Amino acid sequence: MDFTEHFRSISEGAVGRDRERQPAEAVVRTLAHAGFGRLRLESERGGLGFGLTDTFRVLRDLASADSNIPQIFRAHFAFVETLRAGLPDAERWRGLIRDNQIFGAAMAERGNETSVTTEVTDGPNGLVLNGRKYYSTGTLYADWIIVWASLAGDRVRVLVPADAPGVTRVDDWDGFGQRLTGSGTTLFEQVAIAPAQIVERAPADTPPSQPFLGAYYQQFHNTTLAGIAQAVLRDALAFVRPRERVFGVPGKSVQKHDPVVQGVVGRLSSLAYSTAVLADQGARALEAIEPLFLAGNHDDNAIERAQEEIFKAQQIIAQQTLEAATLLFEVGGASATSETLRLDRHWRNARTLASHNPAAQRQRELGDVALNGTRLWTPYRDGLRRLAEANRQGDAA
C-alpha cells in the first residue's frame, strides 16, 4: 500500500491547518478509510501486514507532511501492538480495526500518577467510569478511547466508545506546538462499562505499559521528530531555489549559489540524514525484540538494551531536529518569518514533542545506567511503589 499521494495532499494543507487551527478530522478520516490504521494488523487477519521498520518509515514520511498526524495515531498503533500480543476478546477488537475505526488515548492526568482520580466502580446498575484526563492525544478524532483508570486499588485499561453517554471531549489543548493532535481534556461521567471492555488489570505499583511498549512510544516520538527534520530540509530547498537576494553583496545574487546559504543547507541535509538514520536504527532495535514481546517475555535483557538504544537516540534526535528548525531561518532573513510560510511551526512542533519527556531526566537516567548498571525506569517504578503504599496506608486508616 502506497500512501504517497495522501501524504502529498496532507503536506499541501499543513500550513493552512496550523494557521487557522483547523482540526484534522478530514485528514484522519481519509487515512483511516485508506487502511492506515490497519498498517500493522496481520495480513491474514485483514491488515496490511507491515513490519515495524517499514511502518516507522511510513510514519516518518507522514510526519514530514504534517507532524500532528502521527501523534494522533500514536495510541492507535500502540493498541494494535498490544492486540498482536494478545488481548481478551481479541477478535472483537480486530474487527473494529478492520472496519477502520481509530483508537485514541485518555491516559494522563495533571497529577502524580496517570490513573489516580479516574475510577471504575461497581454500582447498583453495574460498572461505571468517572474521572478526567487531560492529555488525551488523538481522542477528538477517535471512535474508541483507551482509558487508564483504577479499580479496587488496581490499574485497569478500559476501552470506551468515544460517543458513549457521559463522555465529553474538549478541545482545550493550549500548547504552542502540535496544536491539532486532539490532546485536550476528556471527561467521563457515569459512563457505563461492560466487563469485556476492561482488557487489562494489574497492581497499581507496576508500570502501566510493558518495556517494549515504553520503548515503542518513545520510538514514535523519535520518528516524528526525524520527520520534522525532513520537512525542514524540504521547506529550506523550496524557499531558497527560486529566490534572489541583495543583502551583503552589491546587486542581486541567486541565493542557491550563495556559499553561505549552501553551507546552511548542507548542515540541514546532514541533520535530516542523521536523525533519519537514528530513527531507522531504533525501529530495527524494536523489530529485533518484537518476538520476545509477542511471546510474553517482558524482562529479557535484549529488551533493556533496545530501550537504552532508543532513549540514547532520543537525546540526539531531539537536539538535532531543534537545531535544524532554528537554522532554517538562516537561509532567508526576515522574509522567512512570514506568517504565510509558517516555518516556525517546525520549531514549535519539535519543541513540544521534545518536551513530552524531560531530556535532562532521561539523560541522568542513562548516566546512571552507564555508571551503576541501574535498570531503566527505576525511579518511576520506585515512585509507583511509594504511591501504592501511601494509598494502602490511607485505605487502612
Side-chain angles (χ1 to χ4, degrees):
M1 181 72 181
D2 188 355
F3 292 92
T4 301
E5 289 304 315
H6 290 294
F7 293 174
R8 182 176 292 116
S9 176
I10 289 169
S11 179
E12 290 170 354
V15 170
R17 284 190 297 273
D18 185 84
R19 184 172 55 243
E20 305 298 329
R21 201 181 177 104
Q22 177 186 346
E25 178 70 31
V27 170
V28 173
R29 285 300 135 201
T30 297
L31 283 175
H33 290 316
F36 191 72
R38 292 185 282 116
L39 213 60
R40 281 284 291 154
L41 195 65
E42 300 91 335
S43 55
E44 64 271 21
R45 287 172 165 161
L48 301 184
F50 275 48
L52 278 170
T53 299
D54 288 338
T55 295
F56 279 111
R57 285 176 180 159
V58 171
L59 286 164
R60 189 176 72 223
D61 290 342
L62 175 57
S64 177
D66 185 339
S67 68
N68 287 275
I69 312 304
Q71 192 76 354
I72 291 169
F73 281 92
R74 183 171 175 248
H76 176 91
F77 274 76
F79 175 70
V80 174
E81 296 302 326
T82 62
L83 184 57
R84 284 167 51 83
L87 283 179
D89 205 11
E91 188 53 34
R92 175 190 181 186
W93 310 120
R94 274 195 291 267
L96 295 175
I97 303 296
R98 284 195 295 269
D99 289 342
N100 297 323
Q101 296 199 33
I102 300 301
F103 287 72
M107 298 181 180
E109 302 168 9
R110 283 176 160 170
N112 294 330
E113 217 272 324
T114 54
S115 54
V116 156
T117 64
T118 302
E119 291 186 299
V120 176
T121 54
D122 195 357
N125 298 315
L127 298 172
V128 292
L129 174 67
N130 285 284
R132 171 192 295 261
K133 298 289 186 180
Y134 179 65
Y135 297 106
S136 306
T137 303
T139 292
L140 283 177
Y141 309 104
D143 302 293
W144 285 76
I145 307 172
I146 306 161
V147 187
W148 281 345
S150 61
L151 172 59
D154 290 338
R155 179 189 293 107
V156 292
R157 185 160 40 142
V158 189
L159 304 182
V160 181
D163 59 357
V167 175
T168 303
R169 294 172 286 175
V170 184
D171 187 10
D172 61 349
W173 164 244
D174 63 352
F176 58 62
Q178 297 294 95
R179 292 174 169 175
L180 309 178
T181 55
S183 298
T185 298
T186 307
L187 303 173
F188 303 96
E189 300 172 282
Q190 294 295 110
V191 179
I193 299 295
Q197 290 173 241
I198 299 175
V199 295
E200 184 180 333
R201 183 169 184 170
D205 58 355
T206 58
S209 65
Q210 301 293 347
F212 175 90
L213 290 175
Y216 182 93
Y217 279 122
Q218 302 315 309
Q219 174 63 22
F220 228 92
H221 284 325
N222 289 355
T223 300
T224 304
L225 285 164
I228 293 175
Q230 302 285 325
V232 167
L233 175 61
R234 177 200 66 215
D235 287 355
L237 295 175
F239 183 87
V240 167
R241 281 173 174 155
R243 293 180 63 82
E244 295 179 333
R245 69 187 303 173
V246 296
F247 181 79
V249 293
K252 292 182 179 181
S253 66
V254 178
Q255 199 169 353
K256 66 182 179 180
H257 297 312
D258 185 329
V260 175
V261 173
Q262 290 175 348
V264 172
V265 172
R267 177 63 178 168
L268 294 178
S269 68
S270 298
L271 293 169
Y273 172 79
S274 62
T275 54
V277 168
L278 285 170
D280 282 349
Q281 181 58 31
R284 287 192 291 270
L286 271 181
E287 196 161 68
I289 62 171
E290 181 186 3
L292 295 170
F293 172 65
L294 296 179
N297 185 351
H298 304 303
D299 296 318
D300 193 284
N301 286 334
I303 296 178
E304 186 80 3
R305 290 193 296 271
Q307 282 193 97
E308 186 178 344
E309 191 171 334
I310 288 167
F311 292 170
K312 286 176 179 176
Q314 189 173 49
Q315 296 290 313
I316 307 305
I317 291 173
Q319 291 174 0
Q320 291 191 344
T321 302
L322 287 166
E323 178 189 345
T326 300
L327 194 60
L328 170 60
F329 293 94
E330 298 298 333
V331 304
S335 57
T337 67
S338 170
E339 279 286 323
T340 61
L341 298 174
R342 212 71 173 175
L343 295 178
D344 62 303
R345 76 187 188 281
H346 297 312
W347 185 90
R348 290 187 287 103
N349 291 344
R351 181 64 269 175
T352 301
L353 279 168
S355 298
H356 277 66
N357 302 277
Q361 181 174 317
R362 181 61 49 75
Q363 184 171 281
R364 185 219 62 79
E365 194 171 354
L366 288 168
D368 195 12
V369 171
L371 288 166
N372 306 306
T374 306
R375 291 181 70 85
L376 293 166
W377 299 104
T378 293
Y380 184 65
R381 290 189 180 97
D382 289 345
L384 287 178
R385 282 193 287 269
R386 288 193 298 270
L387 186 61
E389 181 59 31
N391 289 338
R392 283 192 291 269
Q393 290 177 356
D395 291 341

